[in-house]
Amino acid sequence: MDLDMRRRQIFMPKEILIVDDEPGIVVPIQFLMEQQGYHVMIAQRGDEALDLIYKYKPDLVLLDIMLPGIDGFKVCEIIRLNPNYRDMKIIFLTIKDREVDIAKGLALGADAYITKPFSNDELVEKIKALLEQTYELAAG
């Protein structure tokens, strides 16, 4: 690992991409993530999310399933098919709570699946755990 990458992991705030088309969900999550010290980007459509992922390579993506254009399942699948993004963490954050949807999301490569409504504490804990796991893997 080069020195620039190591510095980014240690000193730069982690970047989180929130992908959801409902401002009533995005605004409070953005506030919560910024309060935790994360840098936040927002996409309202699947294609917009992919553009931001390719351009900025965020550390973690909070991904709704029901999106205009490309849905969250497809976004996850596209990310996981590209080896350049294998370390990117993906959390589905969605109202779809059927077992079949949860199984599909995890089978496509999501690191976690959280259903709405959700607990802020649960979300923060899951994000911290996944990002710490990424740091430990990169450092070791």
Side-chain angles (χ1 to χ4, degrees), residues 4-5 14 20 24-25 31 40 42 60 65 71 73 76 79-80 90 92 96 100 104 106 117 124 130 132 134 138-139:
D4 286 339
M5 178 68 110
K14 298 290 185 190
D20 200 308
I25 296 289
F31 180 77
V40 178
I42 297 166
L60 185 139
I65 291 171
D71 71 18
F73 285 137
C76 182
I79 293 168
R80 289 300 183 227
I90 300 172
F92 276 115
K96 291 178 134 317
V100 67
K104 181 177 181 179
L106 296 173
V124 169
L130 287 172
E132 285 173 12
T134 301

Side-chain angles (χ1 to χ4, degrees), residues 69-109:
I70 303 170
D71 71 18
F73 285 137
K74 190 67 177 172
V75 170
C76 182
E77 182 180 10
I78 291 168
I79 293 168
R80 289 300 183 227
L81 287 173
N82 187 327
N84 293 326
Y85 302 103
R86 69 174 175 262
D87 295 334
M88 186 177 299
K89 299 300 179 186
I90 300 172
I91 300 176
F92 276 115
L93 190 60
T94 181
I95 198 162
K96 291 178 134 317
D97 61 357
R98 297 180 322 166
E99 287 296 321
V100 67
D101 294 318
I102 295 168
K104 181 177 181 179
L106 296 173
L108 286 171

Side-chain angles (χ1 to χ4, degrees), residues 17-30 41-46 48-49 52 61-68 70 72 75 91-96 114-116 118:
L17 173 60
I18 301 170
V19 187
D20 200 308
D21 62 335
E22 296 179 38
I25 296 289
V26 172
V27 172
I29 294 173
Q30 179 182 6
M41 296 177 281
I42 297 166
Q44 296 179 336
R45 301 174 47 90
E48 182 183 1
L52 290 172
V61 179
L62 290 175
L63 184 58
D64 191 11
I65 291 171
M66 297 184 295
L67 298 167
I70 303 170
V75 170
I91 300 176
F92 276 115
L93 190 60
T94 181
I95 198 162
K96 291 178 134 317
I114 299 174
T115 57
K116 300 173 187 175
F118 56 89

Side-chain angles (χ1 to χ4, degrees), residues 16 29-38 40 123-124 127:
I16 295 178
I29 294 173
Q30 179 182 6
F31 180 77
L32 179 65
M33 294 301 103
E34 288 173 347
Q35 289 297 310
Q36 298 297 315
Y38 300 118
V40 178
L123 182 61
V124 169
I127 288 170

